[in-house]
């Protein structure tokens, strides 16, 4: 069975992982309160979605 | 291949899943709106839509069928007497799933499943940008309509003229008139 001849060096390992990064979540602006929000989601700030719907009143705290 | 990919299993046995979805749908009909995870909401949506469609039929068989899922008699009554009539004109799509972000405890994507309101307009098909049209999509142009009306009027006139002609010939001599009428009729039809 094929087997690695050398242990992967820290350098090689780190080089390989250099492109492995987390992406920030997509964000859009709420059309009602203009705060940043995730697309296709009810705005966590004002509770609006799809122009008019007050889906839930503001939940403050916690 | 999407063979056997009919529904999400939701990490439950069939009985557990069935019971849970039944409970969720019952709650939905009772409260008009429920908050769950997005995935559960989407599964419950299917069941709920089916139940409303049955409820719209409104007969005893439908009621018994729905009662297998909606176990609460009071909610069953509400579904048939109150909810179903609301959607009499709506061709499906009685519910709506709205995503509401991530839940703290387990980072689950949550959503609201709700019954579509009475005055919410159906969104309808978006205007398509397709280049080919089906015949039924094209409204008849006024020019063609006018032409057709004129043709029909002409046809009517022709028939009346023919009838008058035949009547006149019949008066002259019956045998000849019958022959002329028989000979003329197919020729006239071809013209139209």
């Amino acid at each position: 069975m094929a087997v690695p001849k050398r242990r992967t060096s820290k350098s090689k390992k780190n080089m390989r992982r250099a492109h492995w990064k987390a992406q920030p979540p997509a964000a859009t602006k709420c059309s009602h309160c203009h705060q940043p929000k995730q697309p296709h989601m009810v705005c966590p700030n004002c509770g609006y979605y799809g122009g008019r719907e007050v889906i839930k009143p503001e939940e403050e705290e916690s | 291949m999407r063979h056997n990919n009919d529904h999400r299993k939701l990490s439950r046995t069939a009985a557990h899943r069935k019971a849970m979805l039944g409970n969720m749908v019952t709650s939905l009909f009772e409260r008009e709106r429920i908050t769950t995870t997005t995935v559960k909401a989407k599964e419950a949506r299917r069941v709920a839509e089916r139940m409303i469609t049955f409820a719209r039929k409104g007969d005893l068989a439908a009621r018994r069928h729905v009662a297998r899922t909606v176990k609460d008699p009071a909610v069953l009554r509400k579904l048939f007497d109150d909810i179903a009539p609301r959607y009499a004109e709506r061709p499906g799509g009685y519910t709506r799933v709205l995503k509401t972000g991530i839940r703290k405890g387990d980072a689950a994507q949550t959503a609201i499943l709700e019954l579509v309101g009475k005055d919410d307009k159906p969104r309808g098909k978006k205007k398509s940008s397709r280049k080919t049209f089906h015949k039924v999509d094209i409204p008849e142009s006024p020019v063609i309509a006018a032409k057709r009306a004129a043709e029909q009027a002409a046809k009517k006139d022709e028939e009346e003229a023919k009838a008058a002609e035949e009547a006149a010939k019949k008066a002259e001599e019956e045998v000849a008139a019958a022959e002329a009428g028989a000979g003329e009729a197919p020729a006239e039809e071809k013209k139209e």
Side-chain angles (χ1 to χ4, degrees), chain B residues 10 56 79 131:
Chain B
L10 302 172
R56 281 176 56 181
L79 172 62
K131 281 163 190 136

Side-chain angles (χ1 to χ4, degrees), chain B:
Chain B
M1 276 200 305
R2 57 154 292 280
H3 295 175
N4 299 334
N5 291 345
D6 180 56
H7 56 264
R8 301 171 182 86
K9 289 183 181 170
L10 302 172
S11 305
R12 281 158 179 84
T13 61
H16 186 178
R17 188 165 52 239
K18 193 177 154 197
M20 184 193 68
L21 290 172
N23 287 337
M24 288 174 74
V25 167
T26 305
S27 297
L28 172 67
F29 292 145
E30 191 186 340
R31 308 281 175 98
E32 310 271 316
R33 165 189 282 196
I34 56 173
T35 307
T36 50
T37 66
T38 304
V39 178
K40 277 201 241 171
K42 286 184 174 179
E43 276 303 304
R45 172 176 63 184
R46 310 176 63 195
V47 182
E49 299 263 341
R50 224 174 279 153
M51 291 309 122
I52 293 174
T53 305
F54 268 107
R56 281 176 56 181
K57 283 190 195 164
D59 56 11
L60 185 61
R63 192 176 281 267
R64 284 181 176 154
H65 188 86
V66 173
R68 286 164 38 174
T69 302
V70 180
K71 296 256 164 53
D72 186 334
V75 176
L76 187 70
R77 237 173 287 126
K78 185 190 173 193
L79 172 62
F80 273 72
D81 302 341
D82 183 25
I83 297 174
R86 263 188 254 168
Y87 300 127
E89 300 297 317
R90 187 177 285 270
Y94 319 112
T95 59
R96 175 188 296 132
V97 173
L98 294 158
K99 292 179 191 147
T100 50
I102 306 293
R103 187 160 65 193
K104 260 275 168 63
D106 57 358
Q109 164 79 254
T110 57
I112 289 169
L113 175 64
E114 66 178 7
L115 296 174
V116 170
K118 208 177 189 178
D119 22 77
D120 288 337
K121 294 254 159 58
R123 268 193 295 179
K125 289 245 167 71
K126 280 178 189 155
K127 267 183 192 162
S128 69
S129 57
R130 64 173 184 218
K131 281 163 190 136
T132 55
F133 289 90
H134 296 293
K135 209 174 169 188
V136 287
D137 294 336
I138 306 165
E140 196 173 51
S141 85
V143 181
I144 292 172
K147 214 170 162 187
R148 177 173 301 163
E151 261 173 29
Q152 270 167 1
K155 197 162 133 190
K156 212 176 165 190
D157 286 349
E158 213 172 344
E159 270 168 12
E160 272 169 13
K162 197 170 82 182
E165 203 181 330
E166 273 176 18
K169 275 184 186 169
K170 252 180 203 166
E172 281 171 31
E173 44 184 1
E174 276 180 30
V175 185
E179 274 175 9
E184 239 169 53
E188 296 259 340
E189 269 170 18
K190 266 177 202 166
K191 254 186 247 167
E192 284 154 14

Side-chain angles (χ1 to χ4, degrees), chain A residues 25-43:
Chain A
T28 51
K29 230 200 231 170
C30 173
S31 57
H32 181 252
C33 66
H34 307 291
Q35 291 290 114
K37 74 177 220 5
Q38 282 195 279
H40 308 293
M41 297 224 189
V42 175
C43 175

